[in-house]
Amino acid sequence: MPNTYTQIYLQVVFATKGRDIKIKSEVREEIEQYICGIFSNKKQKVLAIYANPDHLHIFFSYKNLQITIPELIKTVKPKFRNRKKRVF
C-alpha cells in the first residue's frame, strides 16, 4: 500500500491599513509570539516570522491538512487585528 507524504511551505504577508507604521519595536516580539501561538494551536509550524513596522511576514510549514489555507488565514487575521488594537 503506497504512502502519501506532503511537505508544503507557505509565506503569508499581512500589511497594515494604508501601509501605515503601526507595529512598534517595543511590541514586535510580543506580536510575533502571539501569532506563533495561534499557528501552534492550529497544529501548524512557524519556521520564520518578522513584524516590520508596516507589515508582517510569516513563513510556515502547512502540516495539518484538516484545516484549509483560507480557513487558517481567516482564523489568524482577525485575531491579529484585534491584538493590534489592544497593544497599540
Side-chain angles (χ1 to χ4, degrees), residues 3 7 11 14 19 22-24 31 33-34 38-40 46 59 61 65-66 70 78 80-81 84 87:
N3 293 324
Q7 191 169 24
Q11 180 177 3
F14 294 110
R19 297 288 289 217
K22 299 275 187 182
I23 302 173
K24 298 177 183 173
I31 290 171
Q33 290 173 354
Y34 182 76
I38 295 170
F39 273 84
S40 180
V46 174
F59 182 68
S61 175
L65 304 179
Q66 302 302 315
F80 173 63
R81 185 178 298 147
K84 265 194 335 186
V87 170

Side-chain angles (χ1 to χ4, degrees), residues 45-58:
K45 184 175 180 181
V46 174
L47 301 172
I49 185 169
Y50 190 78
N52 289 294
D54 63 347
H55 65 284
L56 174 78
H57 290 266
I58 308 167

Side-chain angles (χ1 to χ4, degrees), residues 25-37:
S25 59
E26 300 87 38
V27 296
R28 181 184 61 80
E29 194 171 309
E30 182 182 346
I31 290 171
E32 292 170 354
Q33 290 173 354
Y34 182 76
I35 297 293
C36 285

Side-chain angles (χ1 to χ4, degrees), residues 6-7 13 15 22 29 31-32 37 41-42 44 63 67 74:
T6 58
Q7 191 169 24
V13 179
K22 299 275 187 182
E29 194 171 309
I31 290 171
E32 292 170 354
N41 288 339
K42 296 296 177 183
Q44 307 298 334
K63 292 179 170 266
I67 183 169
K74 285 179 186 175

Side-chain angles (χ1 to χ4, degrees), residues 54-86:
D54 63 347
H55 65 284
L56 174 78
H57 290 266
I58 308 167
F59 182 68
F60 66 99
S61 175
Y62 181 62
K63 292 179 170 266
N64 180 6
L65 304 179
Q66 302 302 315
I67 183 169
T68 65
I69 296 167
E71 287 172 349
L72 178 63
I73 301 306
K74 285 179 186 175
T75 302
V76 174
K77 192 171 181 177
K79 289 184 179 182
F80 173 63
R81 185 178 298 147
N82 293 338
R83 180 69 174 176
K84 265 194 335 186
K85 288 179 183 175
R86 284 189 308 179

